[in-house]
Amino acid sequence: MKLIPGSFTKRALMVGLIAGSGILAASSFAMTAGGPAGKDGCDARQGQKIHAKWEARRAEHLSELKEKLKLSPEQEAAWNTFTHATQPGMRHAGADRQAMRSEFEKLSTPQRLDKMMAMSDARRTRMLERNQAIKAFYAQLNPEQQKVFDAEAMPDPMRARGHHRFQS
């Protein structure tokens, strides 16, 4: 067999490319199978850590707000009702979301739409209850406390979602 000049170079290049792609594929498989984003519950634990941090920040914010409001003993019951009513609802955990997805896959499109509308109605009802609780608590505050509440209690919704305005 006669070798053509350059054919050895081409073969060596092809062998190198195939070996390199094999190594890349193997390392990619290893990362998804047992890495941080694997299906071993790491995502759920990360979500739990984030939720715990969020709850701690919420508790700290409420504690600071209560101090700044300087509530009278008569206002304590209204405060307790307010904090209880404004607690966030149950969030879907990773396993619950997976179950919800599999449930949705079994439904027809009209059934999915009805289910989504029912979920939207439940969120709206929860929001209305929360708003009523906030208004009832606000009515218990004196004008000075209302000013403090206006300034401290409710964050800017745009900032809360990470939408920061550009300043000129």
Side-chain angles (χ1 to χ4, degrees):
M1 184 159 116
K2 188 175 180 183
L3 289 176
I4 302 172
S7 67
F8 178 76
T9 307
K10 288 180 185 177
R11 286 184 184 171
L13 182 61
M14 289 299 289
V15 168
L17 288 173
I18 291 171
S21 64
I23 291 170
L24 182 62
S27 65
S28 173
F29 177 75
M31 286 297 290
T32 57
K39 295 184 180 187
D40 60 355
C42 287
D43 291 338
R45 284 193 297 272
Q46 183 65 22
Q48 290 171 349
K49 287 179 185 178
I50 291 170
H51 183 71
K53 280 184 178 179
W54 187 87
E55 282 294 328
R57 281 195 304 260
R58 180 181 184 275
E60 182 181 347
H61 175 73
L62 286 175
S63 176
E64 290 172 2
L65 177 63
K66 187 175 181 182
E67 287 177 27
K68 290 177 182 179
L69 288 174
K70 300 174 184 154
L71 299 174
S72 67
E74 297 83 31
Q75 294 172 320
E76 285 293 325
W79 170 261
N80 292 335
T81 302
F82 161 73
T83 56
H84 179 73
T86 56
Q87 284 182 340
M90 289 297 295
R91 298 267 184 234
H92 295 291
D96 292 340
R97 286 186 184 191
Q98 198 63 27
M100 188 170 63
R101 282 188 189 125
S102 64
E103 180 185 337
F104 264 73
E105 289 174 359
K106 297 174 187 173
L107 300 175
S108 68
T109 299
Q111 290 171 327
R112 288 180 194 163
L113 294 171
D114 290 343
K115 180 105 174 153
M116 287 189 293
M117 188 59 72
M119 291 166 62
S120 175
D121 291 343
R123 283 191 300 272
R124 181 168 171 74
T125 300
R126 175 80 175 122
M127 181 184 275
L128 288 171
E129 291 170 355
R130 185 175 185 270
N131 290 350
Q132 290 171 349
I134 293 169
K135 288 178 181 179
F137 175 66
Y138 192 85
Q140 297 292 316
L141 301 176
N142 65 41
E144 185 62 33
Q145 290 171 321
Q146 288 177 349
K147 287 180 186 177
V148 171
F149 190 87
D150 290 339
E152 301 288 331
M154 300 298 162
D156 179 359
M158 294 300 284
R159 291 197 192 283
R161 300 213 186 277
H163 301 285
H164 301 284
R165 294 183 186 154
F166 292 106
Q167 295 188 11
S168 52

